[in-house]
Amino acid sequence: MSKVSVTRKRGTKFRFSDKERARLGAPSETEVESGTSADSDNPPLTKDQLNRMAVAREVRRIREKTGLSQPQFAARFHIGLARLRDFEQGRSEPDFIVRVFLRMILEYPSRADRLVKMVERDGAVSA
């Protein structure tokens, strides 16, 4: 059997050629279901696990939209690097305030950056 190497840009859907599709065949829903349920190394995910994965994907998407690496993003927005990694890998979930801040970074990056600099300069949050 020959080795096949495939490269694609992250986030793009993989597209099989007609030849590859015919070689692999399309298993029926029943075959897929029986194969997955028989795999003891791959148990079904719980709703909590699925939610955690969705949050992790969102955190990573927000960081990637800024064009910053994990260390750069963590330093710029004063989020602990280990904590950011835990969020992106689904080991922990950001609390409500961090989620609001991340959403602000996504929706209004210049405003978030300006507020961070203001708090850095003033040293405290004023009412």
Side-chain angles (χ1 to χ4, degrees), residues 38-53:
D39 187 358
S40 62
D41 292 332
N42 189 22
L45 296 174
T46 65
K47 286 184 180 182
D48 183 52
Q49 290 170 319
L50 289 171
N51 183 50
R52 196 174 284 227
M53 289 171 61

Side-chain angles (χ1 to χ4, degrees), residues 14-81:
F14 182 80
R15 294 187 181 144
F16 287 108
S17 68
D18 291 338
K19 184 178 177 182
E20 291 169 326
R21 203 178 305 272
R23 183 179 60 85
L24 294 171
S28 68
E29 285 294 320
T30 308
E31 290 172 325
V32 170
E33 192 65 38
S34 66
T36 56
S37 62
D39 187 358
S40 62
D41 292 332
N42 189 22
L45 296 174
T46 65
K47 286 184 180 182
D48 183 52
Q49 290 170 319
L50 289 171
N51 183 50
R52 196 174 284 227
M53 289 171 61
V55 170
R57 190 171 41 250
E58 182 181 0
V59 171
R60 183 176 183 153
R61 183 176 59 89
I62 291 168
R63 179 186 58 79
E64 286 179 342
K65 186 175 180 196
T66 65
L68 300 173
S69 66
Q70 284 181 339
Q72 292 168 331
F73 188 87
R76 182 171 176 180
F77 295 109
H78 296 271
I79 298 172
L81 179 57

